[in-house]
Amino acid sequence: MNRRKAIVTGLFAGIGISFFSVSKWYQFTHAPDLADLKLDIELIAELAEVIIPRTETPGARDVGAHHFVIKAVTDCLEPKNQRSFIDGLADLKKYTQDRYGRDFKACNAKEKEETLAHFEANTEYVNTFMKKVRRKIMGDTFFSILKQYTVIGYCTSMAGATKGLNYDYIPSVYHSCIPLREGQKSWATK
């Protein structure tokens, strides 16, 4: 190989590596397109309902927790967490199509629970150091964001706080720490 050919080859390799690095950096720092998130409102409502189903108390869909999830993802999360949520939704759609041959909304209750169990299992790292590194660089996982904001949306809604949780409209005495009776709901105001 002559010198001219080696310099040209090295130059193109350097340009290629630089272009790849810049495109990855742009991908990690650029805010994702959230316009399509509202198109997935029914999917997010189904996912929230699997996390907090309707029993004798209202479910997550009944209290509108899915609206809270979309608002929180759109307005409150960093771009890396928004990207993680958007990518996770796309992964979930692909997973249910590949595994069950239909979208999540058409799956039965057992398949929905298995799907969310799969995504929850994939979010857990045994090594806490790897978990912290992943969270710092890539953001929170799709399932942890979905679960966290579903629970917050449920517990802070009027129906969730008054019917799903124990709510004392006018607490008479403050007790900082009391044991819960068996079967008692958690307190809405802590």
Side-chain angles (χ1 to χ4, degrees):
M1 178 183 289
N2 64 18
R3 182 186 295 177
R4 181 176 289 174
K5 206 172 197 176
I7 290 173
V8 170
T9 302
L11 186 64
F12 278 115
I15 290 172
I17 291 170
S18 298
F19 180 75
F20 179 76
S21 300
V22 169
S23 67
K24 281 295 179 188
W25 175 81
Y26 179 78
Q27 189 180 18
F28 280 123
T29 58
H30 184 68
D33 182 21
L34 299 172
D36 293 341
L37 192 58
K38 290 187 179 178
L39 299 176
D40 290 327
I41 192 165
E42 282 300 313
L43 173 62
I44 295 170
E46 284 291 322
L47 292 167
E49 186 67 20
V50 173
I51 293 172
I52 304 176
R54 179 188 304 158
T55 55
E56 68 273 357
T57 60
R61 178 189 281 269
D62 299 327
V63 303
H66 50 291
H67 296 292
F68 181 82
V69 171
I70 291 175
K71 186 76 173 163
V73 168
T74 305
D75 296 343
C76 301
L77 291 182
E78 296 178 52
K80 64 183 177 184
N81 287 333
Q82 290 174 334
R83 190 176 319 98
S84 178
F85 190 82
I86 297 291
D87 293 345
L89 271 180
D91 289 346
L92 185 131
K93 291 176 190 174
K94 184 176 180 336
Y95 178 81
T96 55
Q97 276 297 337
D98 292 347
R99 184 164 177 111
Y100 303 113
R102 53 187 170 264
D103 64 352
F104 184 81
K105 291 180 281 185
C107 292
N108 62 37
K110 185 179 179 223
E111 292 168 344
K112 290 177 182 177
E113 288 175 11
E114 287 174 356
T115 301
L116 283 188
H118 167 77
F119 277 86
E120 184 175 25
N122 286 341
T123 63
E124 297 297 323
Y125 283 99
V126 176
N127 187 337
T128 55
F129 176 74
M130 289 303 297
K131 187 176 182 178
K132 287 181 181 178
V133 169
R134 194 249 183 250
R135 187 171 184 213
K136 187 76 175 173
I137 295 172
M138 305 291 288
D140 292 325
T141 61
F142 160 71
F143 186 76
S144 65
I145 294 169
L146 175 70
K147 188 174 177 181
Q148 176 185 5
Y149 285 114
T150 298
V151 171
I152 291 172
Y154 183 82
C155 292
T156 56
S157 70
M158 178 175 260
T162 57
K163 295 176 184 170
L165 300 172
N166 235 350
Y167 183 72
D168 192 0
Y169 184 67
I170 302 175
S172 57
V173 180
Y174 176 73
H175 297 285
S176 61
C177 185
I178 56 171
L180 291 175
R181 295 182 310 269
E182 184 159 332
Q184 181 183 358
K185 299 175 189 171
S186 177
W187 288 101
T189 52
K190 296 179 180 177

